[in-house]
Amino acid sequence: MNIDWSKLGFHYTEPDYIVRAGYHDGKWEEPYATKDKFLHLHVSATCLQYGQEAFEGLKAFRGVDGKIRIFRWRENAKRMAKSAEGLYMAPVPEELFGKAIRLALEKNMDFLPPYGTGATLYFRPLLIGTTPRLGVGPGRDFEFIVIPSPIGPYYPGKFHCTTFVVNRHVDRAAPYGTGTFKVGGNYASSFRATEPAHAEGMDCLFLDAKYHRYIDECAAANFIGIKKPTPNPSLKGGESRIEYLTPRSSAILPSITNDSLMTLAKDLGMKVTRRHIRLEELSEMSEAAACGTAAVISPIDKVIDPENNRIYRLSDEPGPVLTKLYHALKDIQYGQAEDRHHWCEVIEI
């Protein structure tokens, strides 16, 4: 194996094996490892004709102690099951999901990056409908695939900020639609907004589809806002607590990373609030970020609202609160801090 771990980005690297399992006649087969990376699909498969597809993303870490940790894979299994139910697909049982992840790890150990390189082994579980069908309706046959790939840190080198631009002309997902499910269609529908933003060196901030008033998601990630303590004479010390704000919406994906960061924020004594957040409230925040599996936390330096000719300036450098949360989570994943919430499963191979 000849991989320069220090030069890996968030890009696909061909592994030795992927893991597959089929669903036919109402039951799942046992997962198996194969070197065949190609799908043999009928052209009328429901994943191609009607978008019956869901996926996940999670990581395995080589820790400071040499142990291998997989972070919160059960939550990924539960979320994929909800996505499957939302698209009338057969949910992958949690036990099968975990067995497939462990098998993918075992068969690709040479692709697990060493500790200290900033690289990890990423898993992309994929669920697709394979029944040939022309009439509109769900399939009854499915395939579950786990695609492993070593990836480098989202930020090669310095942890830095990104500028976001508000787009009111493209909606990522509608309320009570598929926004709460991790399905490819949500991402494809966002390309009309994200690709022009990327071409300008920025990323895209989506507002709610109904009113275009509240913050929904940061492209493919949840939004976090940090409010500084404010003077409050009724409280001991005269100040309120730092507030961790994140949107409540029926159109955004429930992020496992965001859930983890909210728990850590509470551990650090912050007030955690999930509610509708008006775009104008950015002016009251000292820090903001997108969060997700890939980057963990992607700090925002400013948000541009071209429709109203307004710029919300935050911090040119990653702020102290988000930096602390970022390192707190990474330390747990790499075994450098106590895993008080039992998020990591240590794998013996």
Side-chain angles (χ1 to χ4, degrees):
M1 184 59 53
N2 186 23
I3 296 178
D4 187 344
W5 305 110
S6 65
K7 292 185 178 178
L8 278 179
F10 196 79
H11 306 294
Y12 177 72
T13 298
E14 187 86 0
D16 284 339
Y17 293 89
I18 63 170
V19 173
R20 304 169 88 144
Y23 179 89
H24 307 286
D25 300 322
K27 58 186 177 183
W28 284 100
E29 65 183 1
E30 281 293 299
Y32 64 94
T34 176
K35 291 190 174 185
D36 182 6
K37 315 294 193 313
F38 292 88
L39 291 169
H40 305 280
L41 279 175
H42 194 282
V43 293
S44 293
T46 53
C47 65
L48 301 176
Q49 300 296 323
Y50 300 114
Q52 269 197 308
E53 177 268 356
F55 69 97
E56 280 295 327
L58 61 151
K59 294 175 180 175
F61 301 81
R62 175 81 72 178
V64 65
D65 52 6
K67 294 180 180 179
I68 303 167
R69 292 170 173 82
I70 300 179
F71 185 72
R72 301 195 75 178
W73 69 264
R74 294 181 189 277
E75 295 305 311
N76 290 96
K78 292 173 185 175
R79 191 169 67 180
M80 176 168 263
K82 288 181 180 178
S83 296
E85 290 167 359
L87 271 67
Y88 263 72
M89 305 171 78
V92 178
E94 188 173 297
E95 182 182 358
L96 190 155
F97 187 102
K99 189 180 292 186
I101 295 293
R102 286 187 288 268
L103 180 58
L105 172 63
E106 179 184 337
K107 300 296 287 186
N108 293 282
M109 282 297 294
D110 288 343
F111 293 87
L112 179 65
Y115 171 77
T117 61
T120 58
L121 185 58
Y122 178 82
F123 301 99
R124 171 58 58 85
L126 174 68
L127 178 63
I128 58 173
T130 57
T131 303
R133 183 162 191 152
L134 284 180
V136 177
R140 60 183 179 276
D141 307 287
F142 305 94
E143 186 165 7
F144 175 58
I145 306 159
V146 176
I147 309 159
S149 176
I151 58 168
Y154 198 82
Y155 301 106
K158 189 180 178 183
F159 183 45
H160 65 272
C161 295
T162 302
T163 297
F164 278 71
V165 60
V166 176
N167 191 307
R168 288 184 170 83
H169 302 285
V170 176
D171 294 324
R172 175 187 165 274
Y176 310 111
T178 60
T180 56
F181 309 130
K182 196 169 179 67
V183 298
N186 295 341
Y187 298 84
S189 66
S190 73
F191 291 162
R192 286 183 298 133
T194 58
E195 288 306 292
H198 293 164
E200 297 294 327
M202 300 183 290
D203 217 325
C204 189
L205 181 66
F206 288 101
L207 302 180
D208 73 287
K210 187 173 183 179
Y211 300 109
H212 288 172
R213 183 183 304 159
Y214 304 104
I215 295 171
D216 249 15
E217 285 216 310
C218 294
N222 276 194
F223 173 85
I224 303 168
I226 302 296
K227 282 193 172 184
K228 290 180 179 179
T230 53
N232 189 335
S234 66
L235 294 175
K236 186 178 180 180
E239 284 191 336
S240 62
R241 291 182 293 167
I242 293 171
E243 186 174 12
Y244 179 114
L245 270 173
T246 195
R248 181 179 296 280
S249 169
S250 59
I252 64 176
L253 186 71
S255 165
I256 295 165
T257 301
N258 196 4
D259 180 74
S260 304
L261 291 170
M262 282 190 279
T263 299
L264 293 176
K266 291 176 184 176
D267 290 346
L268 293 169
M270 298 179 205
K271 177 184 177 182
V272 175
T273 306
R274 174 171 263 172
R275 61 169 172 79
H276 293 308
I277 303 171
R278 290 178 293 104
L279 180 65
E280 294 77 18
E281 289 185 71
L282 285 168
S283 62
E284 303 168 18
M285 298 177 190
S286 58
E287 304 174 47
C291 70
T293 300
V296 182
I297 292 176
S298 177
I300 299 170
D301 58 3
K302 59 180 175 286
V303 175
I304 300 171
D305 181 5
E307 295 285 312
N308 292 313
N309 195 28
R310 186 168 183 182
I311 298 176
Y312 297 94
R313 299 188 183 277
L314 292 141
S315 176
D316 291 337
E317 297 290 333
V321 176
L322 291 174
T323 299
K324 190 171 186 177
L325 286 169
Y326 174 82
H327 288 296
L329 185 55
K330 297 289 284 184
D331 284 350
I332 292 170
Q333 292 170 333
Y334 282 103
Q336 297 168 162
E338 181 186 0
D339 183 12
R340 293 172 50 197
H341 301 285
H342 309 291
W343 286 335
C344 298
E345 180 171 325
V346 176
I347 305 296
E348 303 285 346
I349 293 181

